[in-house]
Amino acid sequence: MIERTPVSQAIARQLQEMIQSGKLSSAERLPSQRVLSEQLGVSRPSLREALMTLETLGLIRTYPGRGTFVTDPQDMPAANSTQWRYTDDYGMADVFEVRLLLEGQLARHAAETSTLDDISLLTAATDKMEAAWAQGDLIANVDEDLEFHQIIAGKSRNSLLLQTYTSLSAMVMETQRQPIPFTALDRMASSIAEHRAIIAALNARDADAAQTAMVEHIRNTAACAGISI
Amino acid sequence: MIERTPVSQAIARQLQEMIQSGKLSSAERLPSQRVLSEQLGVSRPSLREALMTLETLGLIRTYPGRGTFVTDPQDMPAANSTQWRYTDDYGMADVFEVRLLLEGQLARHAAETSTLDDISLLTAATDKMEAAWAQGDLIANVDEDLEFHQIIAGKSRNSLLLQTYTSLSAMVMETQRQPIPFTALDRMASSIAEHRAIIAALNARDADAAQTAMVEHIRNTAACAGISI
């Protein structure tokens, strides 16, 4: 697994663990960011980043004037109600549309260039993604999902296409977090099956099938986040 | 017409005019860059940029150890023999492939959003491009071509797609200069006809036709530069 913004990811996982273990209980109001950063011994900016990740994943929710609360599992947010970080610049649909274009083409290239080692790495990332979901580790789930898409991108024979995709990686990760609060068990099963369909197309060196499977997967993911593209 | 890197473009047009008027005659060796920058009263970096533009357009040619010469019209370069500025980073085919993807989608959007004013601007840019070619003004020809593609990009309803395209504009212009030395009169007539087919599709608000016409146009342009995509 590639480490991403390691400090805030580590804090987010620690808080996720506290929520799952009941140390932070459902409907409990979180301490202020000042107090929480002292308790955890971390900087305020890293804590803020971690809280934003947890909020996007649906584990906590902030109510203006009341504070931040652990989400009651009965009280899942309605689609489109999580925080989208890039609102001032781009819509979520814009990012999904650009992903469709670029990743569809990247999957074509990967069908021509992937080795058996790459297939193994993609399978391992998908297995870990599935296991993370089963354990309720949403942060690891998203990380392994990004890993899967980055391995495919890395097989491109077009360095400009890869660089264009890489420049979007923070936004790509955000579009991978967004659907999580609305993802039921059967949708995650479908998403994992879609990953395996992409792997099968790459393994068969079928560029058309790889592009079609990737486009379908991103379109379904977007739909889960309430976006029709 | 949008001004681009105005100083070096102005120098390039001045030199182009000197070549066309015979002040710099065919097969004549150009003065050194030091002497030429003094004669024209311009900086060395701006002159170098202008000479690179002229070389890409096929108007001059540098022979290592011998110097830079005005190209003999009988002695057009073979395809792929002009200078490609981005060799260290990307291949020309890479840039054309990314253009196909992005500009195809941008044309789709433009079919949904173009107004009659936009259609007039696109027609004017294409008319000026045709006139510039007829007058042998290759620099203005490329500028109007870029203007055409930028107007279409500017009609996108996806700000991320537009920003991604805009970030490539220097490379896009370079792919528009590259085919010029190999462009015969009939190929330029085809290129102009392709522009008008794109305009017709936009005017008819036909997204599929607009994308198809744009992809076809970029593919033909690439083929003219010796690139098969």
Side-chain angles (χ1 to χ4, degrees), chain B residues 1-2 4 57 96 99 103 121-122 124-130 132-133 137-153 165 169 172-180 183 187-188 191-192 194-195 198 214 217-218 221-222:
Chain B
M1 190 186 73
I2 293 167
R4 299 173 230 290
L57 291 172
F96 271 117
R99 284 189 62 192
E103 294 199 56
L121 289 172
L122 289 166
T126 303
D127 290 346
K128 282 192 222 164
M129 187 182 158
E130 193 169 22
W133 182 260
D137 187 345
L138 306 184
I139 293 163
N141 176 280
V142 170
D143 270 4
E144 296 298 339
D145 189 17
L146 189 58
E147 173 78 358
F148 174 88
H149 288 271
Q150 283 185 339
I151 291 170
I152 291 174
Y165 175 75
S169 70
V172 169
M173 181 148 75
E174 194 60 11
T175 60
Q176 287 166 324
R177 284 179 184 145
Q178 283 288 334
I180 295 287
T183 300
R187 168 58 205 151
M188 182 50 68
S191 185
I192 295 290
E194 287 159 17
H195 273 217
I198 294 167
M214 179 63 86
H217 172 54
I218 295 174
T221 306

Side-chain angles (χ1 to χ4, degrees), chain A residues 200-218:
Chain A
L202 299 180
N203 196 35
R205 302 192 157 276
D206 185 335
D208 286 343
Q211 180 173 28
T212 302
M214 179 63 85
V215 165
E216 188 67 14
H217 173 54
I218 295 174

Side-chain angles (χ1 to χ4, degrees), chain B residues 23-209:
Chain B
K23 267 186 208 145
L24 284 172
S25 67
S26 171
E28 183 175 340
R29 187 167 170 280
L30 264 62
S32 71
Q33 290 189 20
R34 188 181 57 72
V35 170
L36 202 50
S37 67
E38 282 168 13
Q39 281 180 359
L40 299 172
V42 298
S43 75
R44 293 278 290 277
S46 294
L47 175 65
R48 253 197 306 277
E49 174 69 22
L51 291 173
M52 206 167 190
T53 296
L54 294 173
E55 180 144 25
T56 307
L57 291 172
L59 291 170
I60 62 174
R61 198 152 183 199
T62 299
Y63 298 89
R66 287 178 51 207
T68 300
F69 294 79
V70 175
T71 307
D72 186 329
Q74 309 298 322
D75 177 32
M76 284 316 252
N80 273 330
S81 74
T82 67
Q83 183 131 16
W84 171 246
R85 293 171 197 236
Y86 302 96
T87 305
D88 290 344
D89 301 310
Y90 313 113
M92 210 196 307
D94 295 342
V95 181
F96 271 117
E97 185 185 66
V98 172
R99 284 189 62 192
L100 265 195
L101 280 178
L102 300 181
E103 294 199 56
Q105 190 70 19
L106 288 164
R108 294 194 73 81
H109 289 193
E112 296 161 11
T113 58
S114 291
T115 63
L116 286 178
D117 278 353
D118 298 318
I119 300 295
S120 296
L121 289 172
L122 289 166
T123 304
T126 303
D127 290 346
K128 282 192 222 164
M129 187 182 158
E130 193 169 22
W133 182 260
Q135 291 155 21
D137 187 345
L138 306 184
I139 293 163
N141 176 280
V142 170
D143 270 4
E144 296 298 339
D145 189 17
L146 189 58
E147 173 78 358
F148 174 88
H149 288 271
Q150 283 185 339
I151 291 170
I152 291 174
K155 300 309 296 178
S156 176
R157 49 174 168 66
N158 183 336
S159 53
L160 179 60
L161 185 59
L162 171 60
Q163 194 226 281
T164 303
Y165 175 75
T166 303
S167 72
L168 305 177
S169 70
M171 283 191 278
V172 169
M173 181 148 75
E174 194 60 11
T175 60
Q176 287 166 324
R177 284 179 184 145
Q178 283 288 334
I180 295 287
F182 322 113
T183 300
L185 195 61
D186 56 347
R187 168 58 205 151
M188 182 50 68
S190 304
S191 185
I192 295 290
E194 287 159 17
H195 273 217
R196 300 204 193 281
I198 294 167
I199 293 171
L202 299 180
N203 196 35
R205 302 192 156 276
D206 186 335
D208 286 343

